[in-house]
Amino acid sequence: MCGIVCYVGPKPCSNIILDSLKKLEYRGYDSAGIAVYHNGEINVTRTEGKLNRLGEALTQAPLDGSVGIGHTRWATHGKPSEANAHPHLVDHIAVVHNGILENHLELKRELAQEGAVFSSETDTEILAHLIARARAETGDLKSAVRQSLYQVQGSYAIAVLSTHEPERIVVAKNASPLVLGRGEGETFAASDIPAILEYTREMIFLDEGEIATIDAEGFAIEKLNGDPVRREPKTINWSPVQAEKGGFKHFMLKEIHEQPLAVENTVRSRISVETGDVASERIGLDDASALRVRRVVLIACGTSHHAALVGKYWIEALAQVPAEVELASEYRARGPLVDPNDLIVAVSQSGETLDTLEAVKVAKSGSARSLAIANVLDSAIPRTTDGALYTHAGPEIGVASTKCFTTQLAALFMLAVFLGRRRNTLSQDRAQKLLRGLMEIPNLMREVLTVEKRIAGIARQHAQFSDFLFLGRSYSFPIALEGALKLKEISYIHAEGYAAGEMKHGPIALIDKNLPVVVIMPHDGSFDRIVGNLQEVLARGGKAIVITTSGDKVLDGLDIERIEIPPCPVELTPLLTVLPLQLLSYYVADFKGTDVDQPRNLAKTVTVE
Ligand code: AGP
């Protein structure tokens, strides 16, 4: 996720672009930049850090001009720094980009052989070189952009400004958002509605594979193949605050709905269904280290700890390596035994959680190989580990982790397949089936999210209870823990997650009509046993909310609330069963009126002991 803004019109534009970028800061805030055309030149100002730093730089050295592009960055390739900030300027052509170019390494090699010199570590600069090269050949900016886009694979929304055609900007989109807006004698483009809502309410959303030229009079949209596109503008009636959240009431709800795309971004370019494999250069671990591993130690806190628990099941099942999961705070304190053949995997959305960072330092003192699974590029934990596997979920603003949990799961699943393939414990055939299943998960997630209204209704009926129990077996046990944590942290309702097999060892004593029990029971090898647990709950008057696979007959006729997920490979059920639980907690909390995005006493990044 990054934010893009473009302006073409009669007014001085740098402050307009800066103000519009501020409305997109939720999309990224590690560096920012702006390029403005003036008197035959493109002048660029870029700064590391949040947008106020760019604002300060522009106050000290204002940029004149009325045609410009701007960007606020969420790093995916190349650490947050001024050199990696956009726009990237190559031969009088400035480019801003939101997305991930999958084949950037191959293209970079090719361009370098032809003599291109790079000044950043970004994939975007490669695109700037491609466009500059094509423009020199064709003499036309739009054709150059089109020709270059045919060479890249991956997701993009881009804006391109050139001194050769300074009265217009070329924009294009594939799998990253871009909206165009027309004002009085001025035209805008942006990654999201709030950026330009102050100037216009008539907006056109670009579709996949479309390219547009914008100038002060408006815009012309085409397909990449040159076919013209005619589309009526939509009138946006959102309030500015509503708009920042994309029309959702809270960031948490927006992020719940972003999960299909976020998982696509995590998996994108790393796996090959054809070969049934995961690329080692894209997973932060080399083949030799994968072969040497005798034990995997996963270290994390909170929600990331629950993802790590699922990861343990996958690593043991697919790679046949013993795996242990450690709470970072406990691990760092107890003086753990570390073997040189251990693989230490630190899981952290922020990459800055102090306990996890300190635990990694403790583990590294034993010369074990270490890997970070993190969302924030170049944060402290991936900087400390030997390798990093970034989840590319985009910034998560809600304190309750949702899309970062499911993208951590996707990353851990790829790690387990990678280890299994290298160690010959996972056949190509089975790996192909599993990776095909993983590729289908985003669409299945979209299907699960359609039950939102029903879940909101169930939440309303249960919001007055003061305690909840969440039960699961096998892969669903960590999901029970996660469901309970989500409910606790945003609704302040006491909730416990339990392995269903442990019921009879204590928690069954709690069950009565005042205890809603959420049972996570997709069709897997434990299904028959957990049906028994469900019967025990119902026999004691408990109220059950059941998450199960569609098409089930065994549960017919039971007095339960049933929420269904579509069938998928057993191993992948955690990526689907957690979604109804996130929605349930969200709607219980919203109904109670708590501060969903910033619940009391909690911080998004815990950098204290
Ligand atoms: C989850 O909803 C919480 N925000 C919290 O448990 C979080 O997962 C934990 O603090 C770990 O954070 P990290 O992933 O950034 O290390």
Side-chain angles (χ1 to χ4, degrees), residues 37 81 113 116 155 174 180 184 195 368 394 396 476 478:
Y37 173 82
S81 66
Q113 274 163 11
S155 59
N174 186 47
L180 310 180
E184 292 285 314
E396 192 176 65
S476 301

Side-chain angles (χ1 to χ4, degrees), residues 301-305 347-353 356 381 399-402 408 482 485-486 489 603-606:
C301 302
T303 286
S304 299
H305 177 256
V347 187
S348 173
Q349 181 283 130
S350 60
E352 298 285 346
T353 301
T356 311
I381 294 168
V399 163
S401 187
T402 52
Q408 286 168 346
E482 176 59 8
L485 176 61
K486 282 284 93 70
E489 68 179 327
K604 182 69 187 162
T605 305
V606 185

Side-chain angles (χ1 to χ4, degrees), residues 302-303 306 470 480-490 495 497 585:
T303 286
H306 300 153
F470 288 72
L481 297 177
E482 176 59 8
L485 176 61
K486 282 284 93 70
L487 190 67
K488 273 187 271 220
E489 68 179 327
I490 58 168
S585 344

